[in-house]
Amino acid sequence: MAVSGRFVAVVLLGLVPVLLFPGWLTVLATTAVLGALLGADLLVAARLGQVTVARAQPPNVTLDNEAEAVLTVSNDGSRRLRGSFRDGWQPSAGAQNPVQDVDVPAGERRRFAVRLRPVRRGDLAAPHVTLRAFGPLHLAARQRTIGCPGSVRVLPPFHSRRHLPSKLRKLRELDGKAAVQIRGAGTEFDSLRDYVRGDDVRSIDWRATARRSAVVVRTWRPERDRRVVMVLDTSRTAAARIADETRLDTGIEAALLLGVLAERGGDRVDFVAFDRRTRARAGAAGQGNILGRLVQAMAPLEAELIEMDWSALPAQVRAVSAHRSLVVLLTSLDSGAPEEGLLPVAERLASQHVVVVAAVRDPQLGAMLRERDDATAVFRAAAAERALLQRAAVTAELRRYGVEVVDAEPQELPPRLADMYIRLKAAGRL
């Protein structure tokens, strides 16, 4: 049972006769009247045992967008249901109108829409709905919590989508340029065409020239159907907040842009989220939109407060692709001792694959480096300089093993990783 604010006002009104005619008889009479009103109103209220609530599963929604959760309230009793309900979405679902008034005649049903504006990525749940049925005086209400589980999957926002048109334009320019200029091992034969002045004589096809009695050259195109394996580090270092988002969210943005770009470039894309076990996996097997599979796999990911098992990483890559591939490690350059984790694994992978390490650099380091107004700021600048020198040392060691490194601030990491892919593709290294 629940009482309303109107009943509280009636109780305060009942204090008037008690103050005017003090005595036990007045108190008892006022209490009896209030109790009778409360009981009568509660007795006439609709019985919630004869009310059912059904929930329609809301569609997936992108972070910062809105969705609607639809509830259907059915009144199977003989009394009109007047009251309210509260939809029990967790706070991060951002329910705009979780409490709504209900008025359902006997034997009928009504639909109600709850607007959701999520503030975090992942699977957000609503385990129940709480109903209140008031009487005609609106003094008291029957209350019941009905189990009505529901959930909505909030997908990554993919803010780096804005870089996709320019990167695709570079890929198309690469296709047009490569047909004339690229040759040699690591590129794919495209077609034959007539020789024009300025062509490399080493690209002349002498057999075709003999058959046509005219000089013919081979043309080449960028490699296609190569494997791109993206490995996202979900260990404790991914929980660090850099700028206004976690390192994990920045890695997701970079992986989405690279995945879509590689698919448009004709390559096969695989994604693995890993720390000590595989948290998510998405691949290019079968037909369909790679972006949809990636966002579905990435949506529930959260950083785990455990150390990365670097020794198991080569086996994870081998399980995805046994052939030479482009392996992109989205991780951190300042996580613990890289000499015992990242460096030996990167060297081992680089002997079989083309390896790119993509890491997020905190822009605060640059700001601390420039501020030297007082002694405290100088010490901060020294600490920032040391951190940057350590990152530079790890980067130099990785490049010595033949590993490409993309070390950039959060907003710059996705486009710079995409540019690295385009450069490797143009060089025929995939």
Side-chain angles (χ1 to χ4, degrees):
M1 186 190 77
V3 296
S4 67
R6 184 178 298 183
F7 178 72
V8 176
V10 172
V11 171
L12 294 176
L13 187 63
L15 294 177
V16 175
V18 174
L19 295 176
L20 293 177
F21 307 99
W24 285 107
L25 185 61
T26 306
V27 172
L28 291 176
T30 303
T31 304
V33 171
L34 291 175
L37 289 175
L38 186 66
D41 198 39
L42 189 64
L43 189 63
V44 180
R47 297 182 180 275
L48 294 180
Q50 298 173 331
V51 177
T52 59
V53 179
R55 184 191 300 276
Q57 189 73 10
N60 296 338
V61 60
T62 305
L63 187 64
D64 299 331
N65 287 341
E66 288 191 356
E68 278 193 351
V70 178
L71 294 173
T72 303
V73 179
S74 302
N75 184 9
D76 300 327
S78 58
R79 301 174 186 174
R80 191 182 190 94
L81 172 62
R82 296 185 180 91
S84 63
F85 75 86
R86 182 182 183 88
D87 200 359
W89 285 99
Q90 63 187 83
S92 55
Q96 304 295 303
N97 54 341
V99 180
Q100 298 185 33
D101 293 332
V102 177
D103 188 357
V104 184
E108 297 186 13
R109 65 181 62 181
R110 294 290 186 271
R111 298 178 65 189
F112 302 90
V114 179
R115 297 191 309 275
L116 304 176
R117 190 175 182 84
V119 296
R120 62 178 286 268
R121 172 182 49 79
D123 293 327
L124 309 181
H128 55 255
V129 174
T130 301
L131 275 173
R132 282 184 178 178
F134 285 96
L137 299 179
H138 210 81
L139 297 178
R142 302 174 188 266
Q143 179 168 308
R144 182 188 177 197
T145 298
I146 301 174
C148 186
S151 64
V152 60
R153 172 159 287 188
V154 184
L155 306 177
F158 195 17
H159 296 307
S160 58
R161 184 195 298 268
R162 64 182 183 273
H163 300 291
L164 189 58
S166 62
K167 306 307 175 186
L168 289 175
R169 193 178 308 115
K170 287 184 178 180
L171 270 183
R172 287 193 293 268
E173 292 173 358
L174 179 63
D175 284 337
K177 183 172 60 177
V180 177
Q181 296 181 358
I182 296 180
R183 67 170 303 279
T187 59
E188 293 183 355
F189 174 76
D190 182 52
S191 61
L192 298 173
R193 63 172 176 80
D194 291 336
Y195 174 85
V196 295
R197 181 173 296 181
D199 285 337
D200 192 337
V201 295
R202 293 174 295 180
S203 63
I204 296 176
D205 189 317
W206 295 106
R207 292 185 179 182
T209 298
R211 287 194 301 268
R212 293 185 54 182
S213 300
V215 180
V216 177
V217 295
R218 300 186 187 95
T219 61
W220 310 86
R221 67 178 181 182
E223 298 165 325
R224 293 178 178 269
D225 298 323
R226 299 303 191 262
R227 300 295 294 262
V228 178
V229 182
M230 300 180 295
V231 182
L232 179 62
D233 181 1
T234 57
S235 64
R236 63 174 183 84
T237 58
R241 292 197 68 86
I242 298 179
D244 59 345
E245 62 183 10
T246 64
R247 184 178 281 129
L248 179 64
D249 290 326
T250 305
I252 287 175
E253 287 288 325
L256 286 174
L257 180 61
L258 177 60
V260 175
L261 184 65
E263 186 200 32
R264 300 287 183 86
D267 295 325
R268 298 183 59 186
V269 180
D270 292 278
F271 169 79
V272 178
F274 182 76
D275 41 63
R276 286 189 174 273
R277 63 181 179 87
T278 302
R279 303 291 175 176
R281 176 172 291 181
Q287 300 297 323
N289 182 13
I290 185 63
L291 178 60
R293 292 195 294 275
L294 287 177
V295 295
Q296 288 290 340
M298 295 175 178
L301 288 178
E302 296 292 343
E304 303 291 335
L305 299 182
I306 56 178
E307 290 290 340
M308 177 74 165
D309 186 6
W310 289 103
S311 62
L313 191 58
Q316 294 293 323
V317 175
R318 195 181 312 113
V320 174
S321 175
H323 305 287
R324 182 176 176 84
S325 309
L326 171 62
V327 179
V328 180
L329 303 179
L330 295 153
T331 183
S332 170
L333 291 179
D334 52 3
S335 56
E339 297 83 2
E340 300 177 2
L342 174 61
L343 291 178
V345 172
E347 181 184 11
R348 181 178 172 185
L349 289 173
S351 64
Q352 303 173 358
H353 307 280
V354 178
V355 181
V356 175
V357 173
V360 188
R361 185 175 66 249
D362 192 346
Q364 188 65 25
L365 293 176
M368 293 167 58
L369 197 60
R370 292 187 295 269
E371 295 176 0
R372 306 187 182 188
D373 300 332
D374 52 24
T376 302
V378 170
F379 278 106
R380 289 200 190 101
E385 182 70 28
R386 179 177 178 82
L388 292 173
L389 288 175
Q390 289 176 341
R391 295 177 71 90
V394 175
T395 300
E397 189 70 14
L398 287 170
R399 286 174 175 161
R400 192 171 66 86
Y401 298 144
V403 177
E404 299 291 343
V405 179
V406 179
D407 184 17
E409 296 180 359
Q411 299 299 323
E412 299 176 358
L413 183 64
R416 288 187 57 180
L417 181 58
D419 289 337
M420 174 63 71
Y421 165 77
I422 294 173
R423 286 198 299 271
L424 293 175
K425 198 173 184 67
R429 293 183 55 188
L430 298 188

